Amino acid sequence: MIHSRTKIIALISISLFLVSLAAFGGVTYLLKKHKSTLEQERIALADAEMQKKSLQDLLSIVESSGEEREKMRGYILDDERIIDLLTLIGTLSKEQGAIYSTSNLVVSPIDDTFETLAFTVSIEGSFEKIMRVLSILEALPQQSIISEVLFTKTVEKESASNEWQGTIDIQVTKYKSI
Amino acid sequence: MINLLPPKGHTSLKHEYVLRVISLYGFMLAIVFISGTILLIPTYVLVSSQLNSVRPDDDEGEATKKTFAEASLHIQNANTVMAQLRSITPNVQTSSIITDIIRLAPKGITFHTFQAKREANFLKAIDVQGFAETRNALAALKNAIESSSTFLSASVPISDLARETNLPFVMTISLNEAGSTE
């Protein structure tokens, strides 16, 4: 027959042992988990620091290249500047003394961002004048290409007259209309 | 030593003794684990505070992501524009080709038509029409063009060479692939 006090003491002892074991195990587990998380966070932090540095480099590139990018962007025509371009061509042609008109304005897509504005410039004047107009059109401040040129003498072909008429087909790249 | 206890009492005492020893060990181990737990608490607090300090700030992360996306968009746009600008590069200016042809023309040649059409942004040939005072002048024009490094060939239909003088002609002048001008 075991004494009842001994039984109580044994019960308390075992309970205390189990509780302390659970507490110790729990704290050890949590500590291990936190340490592992801390290591991962430190690695992530180091990566983030590197990415921050890369971002700073990228931002400095973006900032330093802003002027060039804007200039480059300007080589492509946008909707607001179509009229300016046509006016410029007209003004330059008139300055050269050539009679000028524009026709056949057609817009065709290139891709998701750009499209082509094609039009025909008709000019009349001396050969030198229409050649100067052609040279000017070849040097437009926007990306453009002279797709077709047709220069024809207007009067009797054997004569010494220097009156010519020309049609110049131009394709100007523009941003797609929004 | 004389054992005055009856056998049953002896067994009972032995069980009680073992139980008390086990209880003692239980208490000792509990004290060890409790001490261990208490000692681990400062370490736990330290690690937790370190963890809190290295955890990224969500707002800052979002702002960084946004900045990165904006910067990337700028660069991407610049690349798109650059690719487009590089995609159309005329091999040669039409005006310089016409000027070259006129420069190469000998005396006795007059032109009345120039026609140049690009294929896929490349000017490969130009058609000219005109009059030659003599067949020799036309032949000289053909030779001069073919001798030029700008041009590859100049072809004239044989029918245009029938007359001796005042020959109307049509000439197709092919450009060198490089399209370089003299």
Side-chain angles (χ1 to χ4, degrees), chain A residues 33-45:
Chain A
K33 199 178 165 189
H34 274 47
K35 270 187 177 171
S36 155
T37 311
L38 182 65
E39 278 307 307
Q40 285 172 3
E41 291 290 347
R42 276 185 176 152
I43 292 167
L45 189 70

Side-chain angles (χ1 to χ4, degrees), chain A residues 56-75:
Chain A
Q56 287 304 323
D57 292 345
L58 183 67
L59 286 175
S60 65
I61 289 170
V62 168
E63 200 174 319
S64 64
S65 65
E67 206 176 309
E68 283 82 4
R69 281 186 293 110
E70 200 53 42
K71 199 173 165 187
M72 197 165 70
R73 207 182 135 72
Y75 287 129

Side-chain angles (χ1 to χ4, degrees), chain A:
Chain A
M1 176 78 184
I2 296 170
H3 198 278
S4 63
R5 199 170 283 174
T6 306
K7 280 181 185 172
I8 292 167
I9 289 168
L11 199 67
I12 292 169
S13 166
I14 289 165
S15 302
L16 199 65
F17 167 72
L18 289 174
V19 168
S20 65
L21 181 67
F24 184 76
V27 169
T28 310
Y29 170 76
L30 282 177
L31 194 64
K32 215 172 180 180
K33 199 178 165 189
H34 274 47
K35 270 187 177 171
S36 155
T37 311
L38 182 65
E39 278 307 307
Q40 285 172 3
E41 291 290 347
R42 276 185 176 152
I43 292 167
L45 189 70
D47 283 351
E49 285 300 320
M50 275 178 65
Q51 282 173 356
K52 258 187 193 171
K53 200 182 171 306
S54 303
L55 178 63
Q56 287 304 323
D57 292 345
L58 183 67
L59 286 175
S60 65
I61 289 170
V62 168
E63 200 174 319
S64 64
S65 65
E67 206 176 309
E68 283 82 4
R69 281 186 293 110
E70 200 53 42
K71 199 173 165 187
M72 197 165 70
R73 207 182 135 72
Y75 287 129
I76 310 273
L77 190 69
D78 52 33
D79 282 342
E80 287 85 46
R81 291 186 295 157
I82 293 176
I83 295 170
D84 294 344
L85 178 76
L86 295 175
T87 310
L88 175 74
I89 294 170
T91 308
L92 293 171
S93 303
K94 280 169 195 162
E95 274 177 11
Q96 300 308 314
I99 301 165
Y100 148 91
S101 68
T102 311
S103 58
N104 301 336
L105 266 85
V106 178
V107 175
S108 50
I110 298 174
D111 54 30
D112 293 341
T113 316
F114 305 106
E115 57 192 6
T116 302
L117 171 71
F119 56 93
T120 304
V121 173
S122 304
I123 38 174
E124 278 181 46
S126 68
F127 187 74
E128 290 72 26
K129 284 175 184 172
I130 64 167
M131 278 298 283
R132 273 204 294 275
V133 173
L134 175 62
S135 302
I136 287 166
L137 293 178
E138 284 173 338
L140 285 178
Q142 277 81 34
Q143 185 185 38
S144 60
I145 194 153
I146 306 290
S147 54
E148 190 167 358
V149 171
L150 176 61
F151 288 168
T152 317
K153 226 176 190 177
T154 51
V155 288
E156 301 94 60
K157 290 174 177 172
E158 295 89 340
S159 80
S161 167
N162 195 26
E163 282 304 302
W164 288 67
Q165 69 176 29
T167 54
I168 302 168
D169 292 345
I170 308 177
Q171 291 176 354
V172 184
T173 308
K174 68 179 280 291
Y175 292 104
K176 265 193 169 172
S177 305
I178 300 161

Side-chain angles (χ1 to χ4, degrees), chain B residues 54-162:
Chain B
V54 297
R55 269 200 176 124
D57 182 358
D58 284 347
D59 290 343
E60 194 190 348
E62 281 303 313
T64 308
K65 266 185 192 171
K66 200 178 166 193
T67 313
F68 184 78
E70 281 171 9
S72 298
L73 188 68
H74 282 305
I75 299 294
Q76 202 180 331
N77 286 346
N79 283 342
T80 309
V81 172
M82 199 186 292
Q84 175 58 33
L85 290 175
R86 291 176 72 175
S87 68
I88 300 177
T89 316
N91 59 332
V92 69
Q93 305 281 44
T94 311
S95 60
S96 65
I97 294 299
I98 294 174
T99 307
D100 275 1
I101 293 168
I102 292 168
R103 187 173 52 79
L104 291 169
K107 208 179 164 191
I109 296 285
T110 52
F111 297 103
H112 61 75
T113 303
F114 291 94
Q115 185 169 19
K117 191 173 182 178
R118 287 184 192 271
E119 288 169 31
N121 299 327
F122 274 82
L123 185 61
K124 291 177 181 169
I126 179 164
D127 294 327
V128 294
Q129 292 178 37
F131 283 93
E133 283 179 8
T134 61
R135 192 188 290 152
N136 285 346
L138 183 58
L141 173 66
K142 186 175 165 18
N143 288 339
I145 286 170
E146 286 180 341
S147 308
S148 164
S149 63
T150 309
F151 304 107
L152 187 68
S153 65
S155 61
V156 183
I158 294 168
S159 57
D160 287 355
L161 301 169

